[in-house]
Amino acid sequence: MPPDFSLFFPLLLVLSSSGVFGLCPWELPGLQPWSAQDTWGGFPPKDGDTVLVTKPILLDTQTPRIKLLDIRDGGMIVFSPDDEVKLTVGIVRLIHNGSMLVGSPECRYPGQAEIILTGENGPDVTMGELTKGIYVKEGGNLDIHGEEKLSWTKLEETLVPYGFGDYVLKLEDEPYGWRAGDKLVIASTDYDMHQAEEVEVVECQPCISQHLFCTCTVRGDIKFSHYGEKYKMMDMRGEVGLLTRNIKIHGEMKDENDTYGGHLKAYEGHETYRVRGAEMTKMGQRGIVGRYPIHFHMAKEIDANKTYAVENSIHHVFQRCITVHGTHGVNVVNNVGYSTFGHCFFLEDGGEKHTRYHHNLGLVTQKMVNPSTIPSDRFPATFWITSPLTTLTENSAGGSDGVGIWFIFAENVTGPSANQGFFASGEAFRTPIKKFDTNTVHSSATGFMFGSALLPDQDFSGAANFGGTELCDPRSDPLDPDSEPATHFVKGLTAFKNTEQSAWNDCRNTTFDGLHSADSRLGLTTVKDNKVVNSIFIGESSNLGEPMMVRLRNGTRVMWHRSHPSQFGGFLLGMHLYDGNPIVDGNTFADFYDDELKYAGAIGFRKPAAGVIPTVFLNSYFDFEDKIEGNYIKGFPKGAISYGPKERGIVFDWDGTITGNPMTTVVRDTPFYSSSWCEPRPHWGNMSVCPHRYSEAGGDGEGYNHLDVVVTRDDVPDYPDISMDYHDPWHLALSTDHSYIFSFRNNSLPSNYLFKLYGLDSGFGQNIGFCVPLNAKEEEISFHGTSGASGDLTELDSYQDLLDDRTGLAYYWDREVGVVFTRFQVDMLRTPEDQVRCIPDNKHCPVFRIRTESEYRGDTDCTERAYPKYKKDPL
């Protein structure tokens, strides 16, 4: 009677994997050859069989077409390296100490192995448990360890195309393991990710230590240039990924339209699930949830030494690359994911913790519609990161129809993880990201997105490319929304050739350190108050890309000498100011120049209010001469771009490294904002550099942002600013060297009007008048100041008394004109590090409140009565 190995072999497996015996799996004692009839009692498996394996078997042949290979109770299939081994099977189930071993961690498989997964899409009678895949269940072991090969590297020299032939690739790293016949993919370094091209290795030469690069001769039909340089300290070298592995796993397809591929899936309780050094093609089942090339499914806490995906080449698959779902602590390292549909490297429900993505390459991530697996697949991310407790280091996202790397969190964990207690409600949005360092994104619509919210159906909130959440607010105690703020650190992000933008951020308290952005329509857009330090923004680099047909600004169509985000030109901006008020310190700007095709500026605006305090620029460096070689700042005249009426905001240059004069402000060159003290800069989009300090008008009340308000500056009342001219909420920049009157047309003053003034500090004051109902009685109207308490303001006898007041606690009411004046005054000093709108803590902004009791508030448009009485001489 043969010995019972059901208890003995699990121990051998552990000892072998740990190197105790120094044995490779195929050297274990007692293995019985699959090819021997005695192994099967004289009746070897045949096509269509269900095969139960409960003993150790050495797979040393090509199997028939097995329906189900059920390995359990100490059963083991070990792949022999001495034969060309092929397993053709519909389903492999590994359960209850069942194992399939293709090498081990210490003994990489040196042979040629192939696993073909068979089956067609049809009625699923097993709820996804048994459908064209390998399933690692409770106590199951899957070990795949292909030959050690370099997964991917970067070019060291630009590859110039000349059609079909042999090319010499200069590479950053030694291409160890690459052999003649191996297939490679060279990533696009242009806007079009589909410029990625495949070649075949002819020969790789040994690297000589004193050389700065290694070389491989390859053969292929190269049609596009692939950039291989560093430009102004920015690394835009194209990636080169290995596609060929000696362990091949793929789905068997009935025709070219079939998208029902194979898949690998590990469940809670599995013993080992280590997939390393495999080539996977025709994997994933498009449009079906849970069917992905490599899938960690609801395994919860795992041993990182026994569960990982490393050094795999996943290409030409039908959905996803590697999915981590409801599983914590997975290492995803050194993989290549090329040509897939929907999100590639995918965190599913938003509760996954401590996933580590290191040195992975993803490219040609295509949108998935009709069918899509989840709604967000219509705008996919190469790295879809739904948990803040994730590490991303040294990864490259080399082309997506959507986003390269997308951090997107859920208010409440979604899907099957929802009731597992992984995160409390809102906790993910309040948790600082674990680590983000030295990642690259290019050839996508948006390179890096930190924004939107993951919805219950796994769609994203807001519009594609433009974020859409107010929830992202990291805290020192993520369970306590009132705890001290914490910081997201995004370090070493490189982004280039993204058609819409290099990076977008919805999150508060985010520091971008060492961001390198080039050749994108927009560099960095911040919606909240962030910091941007030690970064480089490049308009157009020496990475020319492919010539393209464009329409010049004068309407002429020509073949342009380089690629551009849009055939219609438009604009290129580096630091793109929006609702957020960043501290921008120690950054370099290069190559932002207008030409016949486009406008360009190192610093630009998304809306008229962009750039108000506490936005501060410090230590700005430009490697070109303003006006002659480019534009430090660029506002846009009305109609020059597709959104907003007047995209010219404000820039506060603290140290003068932009304008040449410290503590100056760049504003629109219009009478309302500028003065004779200002220096016009027409090449900046008709803007001026002014010595004035500017505050920001705001407030609330009954539809504050939609009140019919006209604001006049007292020295130029014929040039007012009118709120109804704006579609966005209205925020005016007011010079502290000027005084203003707010007039409410069409009796539009609310019964409870609250005006707030932001950005006033350091001894500056602001004089403002507000039209009030003419002939109002004292018992029908009241005025309140900073504390909001009745009677806290002192009424003065004359307008001159108000101008002389420095308390900020007084008002003067001109009853004949129907206007009340107040002077706001804040003496506390501001420093560049004060990222608050009001000193010291945003809780003490100066306010002025007008309450009226009468239902009919009468005439509140006092402009004609106020002038010329309150008209002042220009400065």
Side-chain angles (χ1 to χ4, degrees), residues 32 105 110 144 149 166 170 232 237 301 366 437 498 504 526 575 579 584 588 669 682 697 722 734 741 787 793 820 831:
Q32 300 181 39
I144 296 174
K149 291 188 169 192
D166 288 358
K170 292 185 177 181
K232 297 185 177 179
R237 295 173 298 163
E301 298 291 341
Q366 301 160 91
D437 199 350
N498 297 293
W504 174 286
T526 63
M575 187 65 216
D579 283 337
V584 187
T588 296
D669 187 20
I722 302 171
L734 306 177
I741 292 177
S787 69
L793 297 181
V820 59
T831 70

Side-chain angles (χ1 to χ4, degrees), residues 103-152:
S104 68
E106 290 76 25
C107 194
R108 306 288 286 266
Y109 183 79
Q112 296 294 320
E114 184 176 7
I115 300 174
I116 303 174
L117 297 170
T118 65
E120 296 185 8
N121 194 0
D124 183 357
V125 297
T126 65
M127 299 297 291
E129 289 287 311
L130 300 172
T131 55
K132 199 174 183 178
I134 300 175
Y135 299 85
V136 190
K137 307 283 286 187
E138 299 88 350
N141 298 276
L142 178 65
D143 260 310
I144 296 174
H145 301 272
E147 285 183 311
E148 186 173 6
K149 291 188 169 192
L150 178 69
S151 285
W152 64 278

Side-chain angles (χ1 to χ4, degrees), residues 110-287:
Q112 296 294 320
E114 184 176 7
I115 300 174
I116 303 174
L117 297 170
T118 65
E120 296 185 8
N121 194 0
D124 183 357
V125 297
T126 65
M127 299 297 291
E129 289 287 311
L130 300 172
T131 55
K132 199 174 183 178
I134 300 175
Y135 299 85
V136 190
K137 307 283 286 187
E138 299 88 350
N141 298 276
L142 178 65
D143 260 310
I144 296 174
H145 301 272
E147 285 183 311
E148 186 173 6
K149 291 188 169 192
L150 178 69
S151 285
W152 64 278
T153 183
K154 290 186 175 183
L155 294 171
E156 279 288 346
E157 183 177 88
T158 297
L159 180 63
V160 179
Y162 53 79
F164 185 84
D166 288 358
Y167 294 81
V168 176
L169 302 184
K170 292 185 177 181
L171 304 173
E172 178 184 27
D173 300 297
E174 180 179 356
Y176 57 85
W178 292 11
R179 300 187 182 94
D182 284 354
K183 298 293 195 301
L184 310 176
V185 60
I186 306 171
S188 169
T189 53
D190 208 345
Y191 297 106
D192 182 2
M193 68 178 178
H194 293 289
Q195 290 180 19
E197 299 184 279
E198 297 176 32
V199 295
E200 181 177 303
V201 173
V202 175
E203 180 186 16
C204 290
Q205 292 74 31
C207 298
I208 301 174
S209 59
Q210 63 262 34
H211 286 187
L212 299 178
F213 54 83
C214 303
T215 61
C216 278
T217 301
V218 300
R219 183 169 298 147
D221 187 12
I222 302 295
K223 296 181 173 65
F224 306 104
S225 174
H226 298 268
Y227 194 70
E229 319 293 333
K230 294 181 181 179
Y231 178 77
K232 297 185 177 179
M233 299 186 295
M234 183 165 175
D235 188 353
M236 291 185 281
R237 295 173 298 163
E239 300 89 353
V240 182
L242 175 68
L243 302 181
T244 303
R245 296 281 181 174
N246 66 314
I247 301 172
K248 304 181 189 303
I249 305 173
H250 59 91
E252 181 183 72
M253 316 312 296
K254 61 183 181 181
D255 56 42
E256 63 182 12
N257 297 316
D258 189 2
T259 59
Y260 191 75
H263 64 123
L264 276 61
K265 192 171 189 177
Y267 293 81
E268 183 178 10
H270 72 269
E271 185 62 26
T272 57
Y273 182 61
R274 296 181 286 213
V275 186
R276 183 180 190 184
E279 177 185 347
M280 298 186 181
T281 62
K282 300 175 183 177
M283 298 288 282
Q285 297 171 5
R286 182 167 174 174

Side-chain angles (χ1 to χ4, degrees), residues 55-66:
K55 60 183 180 181
I57 294 176
L58 180 70
L59 181 57
D60 60 346
T61 186
Q62 299 185 15
T63 71
R65 298 173 62 86
I66 305 299

Side-chain angles (χ1 to χ4, degrees), residues 104 111 223 281 339 394 402 468 534 596 678 725 772 832 837 851:
S104 68
K223 296 181 173 65
T281 62
S339 189
E394 300 181 21
N534 308 318
E596 296 174 286
C678 303
D725 285 353
V772 296
R837 300 172 81 183
R851 286 195 175 102

